Amino acid sequence: MTETTVGIGGAAESTDMVLNIGPQHPSTHGVLRLRLVLDGERIVSAEPVVGYMHRGAEKLFEARDYRQIVMLANRHDWLSAFSNELGVVMAVERMLGMEVPERAVWMRTLLAELNRVLNHLMFLGSYPLELGGITPIFHAFREREELQAVMEEISGGRMHYMFNRVGGLKEDLPAGWLGRARAAIADVNTRMHVYDDLVRGNEIFRARTRGVGVLSAEAVHAYGVSGPIARASGVDFDLRRDEPYLAYGELQDVLKVVTRTEGDCLARFEVLLEQTHNALDLAVACLDRMAELAPGPINQRLPKVLKAPEGETYAWTENPLGINGYYLVSKGEKTPYRLKLRSASYNNIQALAVLLPGQLVADMVSILGSLFFVVGDIDK
C-alpha cells in the first residue's frame, strides 16, 4: 500500500489520502490533531495526536506547596474548575486523616453539582452548533450566566473558583446566598425543556446522530472511557453511587445514574441532557439539607506550613466528563513528591481510534463533538 500525504485536494485512485485535522494555531482554545487515513470519503484509520498545549502541571505540582497546587489542578478542565480542585484537596485530606466539617461537605456537594450543570450546558449548546444549529448555544449561555452569577458571588471567580481549601472551603456563605442559589436553579429548571424540544426532538439533529459513531461496551472497558460517554454505551458505573464520597451517600434517593445501550452520538447527548436534569435535582436536595444544618465552621484551622505525612494515597471523583484520579505520594515535605493526575478526557479521546474507522468524513464532526472533551484535560 502506498500513502500520499496532502493538505487539500485528492490523490491518485490507487493511493490512500492522509488528512490532518488540526492542529490549529497555538493561541486557540484547545489544540487537537487527528491524523486520518481516508479511502475516498471513508475513514480507514484515525490517530489522535495530543500534547500541543501541554503545560507540565504534574511536574509543577512537585514545586508548589499543598495550598498552591490547588490553583494548578483547577485549570486542566476549564469547564469543571470546582470539581478539579475537589479531587486534590480530598487526596491531601486523606493523607492527613482530616475530617471536614459537615457544612463544608454539603456545600462542596452542592457546588460540585452546580459545576456539573455549567459544564454540561456548554456541551448541550455547542454540540448542536457544530452540526449547524446555532440557536441552542444562546439558550445555554443564558442558563450558564444565571448559575455563573451565584458561583461568582460565593467565590469571586467566574471560571477558576479557587474556593476549595484543604480542610473545607475558603469562607462562609454570603447572607441570603442559599435563597439566591435556589431561585437561580428554579429558573434554569423551568427552561431545560428547550433542549428536549429544540434539540433532541429535532429531526435533522436525530438524523445526524442516531446510529452514528457507535462505541461498544468492550471498547469502553479497553480504553478506560468513563462518565456520560461510558454510560451511553451501557456501562452502568458512577462513583457517586458505587463509591460515595462527600454527601452522595445520603443522596441515593435523588441520584439517578442515566444509561443507554445504543452507544451512538444521540445516546451520548441524551445521557448528558438527563444527567443535567438530575444534577439540578441534586443541587436542590443539597440546598434543602443546608437549610436544616445548624451554624458551624466551614473549614479546619491549618498550620502556617502544611506538611502531609510520608506515604501515598489515591482519591478519585466523578467529574462532569468522567472519572478523575489523583495519586499522591508524600515524603513528609510541604510539597508533594509526586501527584499523578488521571483525567477523564485523556482516556475518552483515545476511543477515537476505534470510533472513526469505517465512518464517513461527513460524520467525523458528529462523532468528535459527542465525546464532550476539553483539550486542557488531555494535555495536562
Side-chain angles (χ1 to χ4, degrees):
M1 184 183 76
T2 59
E3 290 186 355
T4 303
T5 303
V6 296
I8 299 176
E13 290 185 3
S14 60
T15 66
D16 289 323
M17 178 191 296
V18 179
L19 183 65
N20 282 306
I21 307 297
Q24 282 77 35
H25 190 274
S27 68
T28 59
H29 220 179
V31 182
L32 176 70
R33 174 187 169 204
L34 290 177
R35 185 179 183 274
L36 306 180
V37 177
L38 308 180
D39 180 8
E41 289 294 307
R42 191 77 58 179
I43 298 171
V44 176
S45 67
E47 178 192 0
V49 183
V50 303
Y52 286 93
M53 59 177 296
H54 179 60
R55 59 192 181 86
E58 289 182 344
K59 193 64 182 172
L60 288 171
F61 287 153
E62 301 169 16
R64 303 288 190 276
D65 67 33
Y66 286 106
R67 292 179 174 89
Q68 294 169 328
I69 62 174
V70 176
M71 181 274 293
L72 290 169
N74 177 291
R75 284 161 165 74
H76 56 88
D77 173 1
W78 43 73
L79 295 177
S80 310
F82 186 87
S83 301
N84 300 340
E85 302 168 12
L86 192 56
V88 173
V89 295
M90 284 174 59
V92 179
E93 288 161 2
R94 186 170 296 178
M95 286 286 279
L96 293 166
M98 180 181 289
E99 288 289 332
V100 177
E102 186 180 15
R103 291 183 71 241
V105 170
W106 281 97
M107 196 62 211
R108 280 178 174 181
T109 311
L110 167 61
L111 294 175
E113 290 306 311
L114 290 180
N115 196 194
R116 192 180 309 275
V117 175
L118 286 168
N119 175 289
H120 291 356
L121 281 171
M122 178 60 80
F123 290 110
L124 292 175
S126 66
Y127 185 43
L129 180 65
E130 290 162 1
L131 300 181
I134 192 171
T135 309
I137 194 71
F138 297 118
H139 289 280
F141 269 94
R142 179 184 62 187
E143 320 312 347
R144 274 177 55 85
E145 280 301 315
E146 193 151 359
L147 295 177
Q148 203 89 57
V150 296
M151 295 289 278
E152 184 178 6
E153 181 189 356
I154 196 174
S155 66
R158 283 183 57 80
M159 286 186 68
H160 304 299
Y161 306 109
M162 281 303 297
F163 199 56
N164 275 292
R165 296 292 187 272
V166 175
L169 295 170
K170 176 185 173 187
E171 57 197 8
D172 213 336
L173 310 178
W177 184 87
L178 291 175
R180 290 188 288 277
R182 190 182 293 275
I185 293 168
D187 278 352
V188 172
N189 246 329
T190 60
R191 296 193 290 260
M192 283 301 296
H193 66 89
V194 167
Y195 305 97
D196 292 287
D197 302 338
L198 186 64
V199 183
R200 184 157 61 170
N202 185 284
E203 61 183 30
I204 299 174
F205 179 81
R206 297 180 74 85
R208 291 290 307 275
T209 56
R210 184 191 286 167
V212 175
V214 176
L215 181 66
S216 68
E218 292 75 21
V220 166
H221 292 302
Y223 284 90
V225 175
S226 60
I229 301 168
R231 291 191 282 275
S233 296
V235 178
D236 188 6
F237 182 73
D238 190 314
L239 281 176
R240 297 173 298 169
R241 179 198 63 194
D242 301 323
E243 287 197 22
Y245 59 98
L246 294 182
Y248 290 114
E250 300 182 47
L251 293 169
Q252 296 302 304
D253 56 334
V254 183
L255 176 62
K256 178 185 176 186
V257 179
V258 184
T259 60
R260 291 288 187 277
T261 56
E262 295 85 355
D264 57 8
C265 295
L266 180 60
R268 291 190 278 274
F269 181 85
E270 288 180 339
V271 168
L272 200 76
L273 176 56
E274 291 188 30
Q275 195 168 282
T276 308
H277 285 291
N278 186 238
L280 289 167
D281 293 339
L282 287 166
V284 171
C286 290
L287 284 170
D288 293 340
R289 184 74 173 104
M290 288 286 296
E292 298 171 359
L293 292 178
I298 202 82
N299 51 34
Q300 296 275 22
R301 291 183 65 86
L302 299 176
K304 271 190 176 180
V305 178
L306 180 64
K307 294 184 178 181
E310 190 168 346
E312 59 187 58
T313 192
Y314 184 76
W316 57 347
T317 60
E318 187 69 43
N319 261 42
L321 298 181
I323 293 174
N324 269 30
Y326 304 84
Y327 177 57
L328 173 62
V329 181
S330 171
K331 295 293 187 182
E333 302 296 330
K334 65 178 182 179
T335 61
Y337 177 75
R338 184 81 171 91
L339 179 55
K340 170 65 180 172
L341 172 62
R342 186 260 192 225
S343 60
S345 296
Y346 180 81
N347 283 70
N348 292 354
I349 203 70
Q350 309 306 321
L352 285 170
V354 293
L355 261 180
L356 288 177
Q359 303 288 334
L360 293 170
V361 176
D363 288 329
M364 182 202 66
V365 173
S366 298
I367 297 168
L368 193 61
S370 73
L371 286 191
F372 310 127
F373 60 89
V374 170
V375 180
D377 204 35
I378 303 169
D379 297 343
K380 55 192 181 296

